[in-house]
């Protein structure tokens, strides 16, 4: 064999030249065959002999700060033994799907499933801001969702528990899924999960420190963990109390959120369906004052702000009075999007609006169409064409362009004050923008239904939620969270007073604290002395008085007369007291039932069947107080006291303090129209209508199958980008 380098003949079978040491054959890196020196391609497999050999991948690990979550199902093994294998499979697959969906929504990566346990990681393969907080939010959401899943699948005691730990771990670069993260951190996180109670989320010190602005924690003690030489301090995550990084968290007394898990879950799922399918959806949340509409939207905001996905959030309130209030809520949303401050100079406002339009709309022609019409909405451009069709289409275009970039939420609050034109716009927006991820929430007291009987009727992408009063158990939970350690007797009295309306409970507690009747002792509260019969807090008195003032004069008179008769009364008794005929009274009573001031007992089994009653006793008491001036009092009340039927309850209820409110939630002024004229309270409805209070109304009715307390300081508009 001749050497190609020096020309020397070598013996057959030699690998290197005996003269110069050059290789006498080239081994193919693909198939291992020997080839003559100088050959460009392998004679055996055709692979190139000249290309540089492909580098052999060597797994590279690096140390990174990650957060590891372990979660599993509690008592699942014993449950599985007693169940049909098909049911068990269904439950497990729903649970795995839930884990994947939630971990994904919060920006984590599922590392692996081990039996019914899931391990997820934040901070690898890609680190993002707020990884740690999102891991805790995901764990809390998972625990609550497994609870709901158990109820749905007929396993009410199904619970998940989770352990979370943040720290340095060896991360395999480029790996996704199993084997991505290793080290002591992983073992410790799994040990933490093993000591969590069913439904609980435990975290270590570093996780708690990084997230305590947004999450409330309880001390879970220093615990021995299997395999750990030293005991570890653990914390129980209780609830999320703010937006990202604790943004906008309440500085005052905020009760824990209770009793509305199902409604919140429905809203979340509808939102994900809307953003996932790029479809508009309208959710209407109705309930009497103080039942928790704003609180529900605040809980939804905290959720949205904690997700990995960027979302545009807008909020606007309707005003009950004043000039130019027709589209106030919408204008408020545009103002906050453009960062326009109250009372800013009009030129500065126009400049900011211009910048916001430039940023949101790429097409110059569209910008020219939209900008003057938004200026008109803000009252900045009187000369802009004011025909409604063009205005609506320009405003719609603005929101469509925002939604094209990222899912967009619009929350309209206090819609019981909304003008018909704003209701028209919302319906128009949801109809015309149906192929854009616009998620519109309308919060209103039942008076909205009176203003627009057909609200939502016939709409495909419409869901209606009705918030019923909270149950006794929920109210107890609310009070226990608000003022821990409250004596049973006092808690029962507050609960009885509140009748399921959270605002009433919160305001009564606030009054007791303000007056020093309830004092804090460490982490619990105690009465400072004997607490007599509970008064109506001034704030509530003002709220209810405003509601009564909002009724038509004849309705108010009837309510005041009825208040004299007690909590329930018959039509005949009211007719005698008021001097009106039953025929005159009935339409007005029907209207009051529709407005959720009164209820009609229509249960065929009830001994009170056919009687009317006050929906809230507090309303009756305030109505009675308001009628105490002689002129407003029914004639019968001017008779000697002994002949009245009312002394029974008026003694047990001390007169309220002056109705001057310390914190007036609603002005007692009569509502005014956009033109500033007092708005007429609509009279009794003609026609049949659903005027009875729906005793067994289903809380949720959706026309579209689901496929998939914000105080004024709370968010107007926000949006984020990764
Ligand atoms: N589900 C709930 N759990 C705990 N607290 C609640 C709940 N719902 C409402 N609250 C509390 O009750 C108070 C009144 O609630 P909220 O302001 O949401 O009522 P609303 O229905 O919006 O009233 P309005 O009709 O006056 O706008 C707030 O302090 C709120 O935090
Ligand atoms: Mg509200």
């Amino acid at each position: 064999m001749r050497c190609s380098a020096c020309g020397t003949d070598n013996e057959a079978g030699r690998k290197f030249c005996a003269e110069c040491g050059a290789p006498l054959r080239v081994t193919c890196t693909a198939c291992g065959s020997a080839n003559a020196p100088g050959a460009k391609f392998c004679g055996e497999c055709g692979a190139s002999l000249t290309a540089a050999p492909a580098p052999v991948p060597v797994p590279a690990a690096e140390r990174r700060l990650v957060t590891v979550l372990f979660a599993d199902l509690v008592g699942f093994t014993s449950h599985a033994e007693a169940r049909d294998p098909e049911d068990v499979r269904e439950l497990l697959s729903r649970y795995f799907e839930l884990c994947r969906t939630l971990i994904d929504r919060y920006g984590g990566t599922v590392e692996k499933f081990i039996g019914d346990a899931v391990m997820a990681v934040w901070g690898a393969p890609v680190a993002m801001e707020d990884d740690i907080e999102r891991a805790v939010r995901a764990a809390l959401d998972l625990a609550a969702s497994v609870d709901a899943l158990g109820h749905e699948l007929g396993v009410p005691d199904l619970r998940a528990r989770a352990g979370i730990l943040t720290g340095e771990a060896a991360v395999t670069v480029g790996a996704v899924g199993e084997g991505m993260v290793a080290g002591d951190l992983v073992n410790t996180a799994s040990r933490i999960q093993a000591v969590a109670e069913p439904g609980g989320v435990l975290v270590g010190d570093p996780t708690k420190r990084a997230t305590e602005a947004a999450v409330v924690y309880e001390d879970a003690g220093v615990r021995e963990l299997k395999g750990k030489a030293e005991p570890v301090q653990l914390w129980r995550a209780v609830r999320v109390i703010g937006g990202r990084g604790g943004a906008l968290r309440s500085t005052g007394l905020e009760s824990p959120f209770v009793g509305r898990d199902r409604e919140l879950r429905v809203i979340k799922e509808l939102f994900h369906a809307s953003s996932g399918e790029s479809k508009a959806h309208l959710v209407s949340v109705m309930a009497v004052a103080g039942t928790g509409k704003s609180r529900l939207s605040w809980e939804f905001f905290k959720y949205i702000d904690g997700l990995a996905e960027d979302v545009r959030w807008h909020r606007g309130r309707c005003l009950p009075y004043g000039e130019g209030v027709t589209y106030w809520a919408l204008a408020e949303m545009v103002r906050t999007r453009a960062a326009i401050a109250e009372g800013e100079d009009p030129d500065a406002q126009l400049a900011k609006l211009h910048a916001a339009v430039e940023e949101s709309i790429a097409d110059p022609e569209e910008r020219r169409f939209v900008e003057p019409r938004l200026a008109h909405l803000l009252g900045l451009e009187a000369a802009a064409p004011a025909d409604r069709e063009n205005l609506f289409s320009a405003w719609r275009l603005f929101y469509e362009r925002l939604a094209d970039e990222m899912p967009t939420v619009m929350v309209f609050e206090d819609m019981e004050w909304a003008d018909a034109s704003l209701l028209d716009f919302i319906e128009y927006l949801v109809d015309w923008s149906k192929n854009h991820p616009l998620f519109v929430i309308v919060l209103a007291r039942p008076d909205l239904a009176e203003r627009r009987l057909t609200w939502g009727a016939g709409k495909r992408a419409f869901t209606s939620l009705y918030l019923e009063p909270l149950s006794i158990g929920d109210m107890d939970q609310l009070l226990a969270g608000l003022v821990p350690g409250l004596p049973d007797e006092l808690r029962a009295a507050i609960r009885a007073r509140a009748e399921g309306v959270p605002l009433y409970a919160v305001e009564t507690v606030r009054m007791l604290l303000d007056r020093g009747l309830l004092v804090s002792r460490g982490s619990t509260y105690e009465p400072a002395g004997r607490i007599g019969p509970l008064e109506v807090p001034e704030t509530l008195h003002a709220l209810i008085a405003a509601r009564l003032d909002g009724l038509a004069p004849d309705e108010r008179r009837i309510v005041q007369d009825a208040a004299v008769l007690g909590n329930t009364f018959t039509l005949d008794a009211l007719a005698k007291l008021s001097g009106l005929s039953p025929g005159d009274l009935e339409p007005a009573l029907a209207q009051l039932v529709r407005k959720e001031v009164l209820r009609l007992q229509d249960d065929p089994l009830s001994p009170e069947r056919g009687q009317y009653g006050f929906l809230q006793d507090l309303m009756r008491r305030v109505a009675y107080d308001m009628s105490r001036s002689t002129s407003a009092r029914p004639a019968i009340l001017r008779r000697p006291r002994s002949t009245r039927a009312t002394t029974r309850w008026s003694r047990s209820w001390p007169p309220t303090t002056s109705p001057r409110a310390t914190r007036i939630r609603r002005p007692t002024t009569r509502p005014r129209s956009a033109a500033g004229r007092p708005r007429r309270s609509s009279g009794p409805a003609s026609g049949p209508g659903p005027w009875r209070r729906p005793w067994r109304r289903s809380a949720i009715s959706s026309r579209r199958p689901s496929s998939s307390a914000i105080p004024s300081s709370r968010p107007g508009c926000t949006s984020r980008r990764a």
Side-chain angles (χ1 to χ4, degrees), residues 466-524:
Y466 191 90
L467 305 184
E468 294 287 355
L470 292 175
S471 69
I472 291 177
D474 292 334
M475 288 300 273
D476 278 348
Q477 223 185 313
L478 184 155
L479 287 166
L482 199 60
V483 275
L486 206 60
D488 287 349
E489 203 183 326
L490 184 54
R491 192 178 62 229
I494 298 174
R495 194 184 60 207
R497 141 76 61 79
E499 295 179 289
V501 179
L503 175 75
Y504 295 177
V506 171
E507 290 299 319
T508 306
V509 166
R510 210 172 253 151
M511 175 188 74
L512 295 175
L513 288 169
D514 287 351
R515 294 185 185 181
L517 297 170
L518 205 56
V519 288
S520 149
R521 301 244 185 276
S523 59
T524 59

Side-chain angles (χ1 to χ4, degrees), residues 293-294 413-414 665-666:
K293 301 175 290 293
S294 303
E413 285 221 41
D414 302 333
R665 291 172 56 85
R666 293 277 167 265

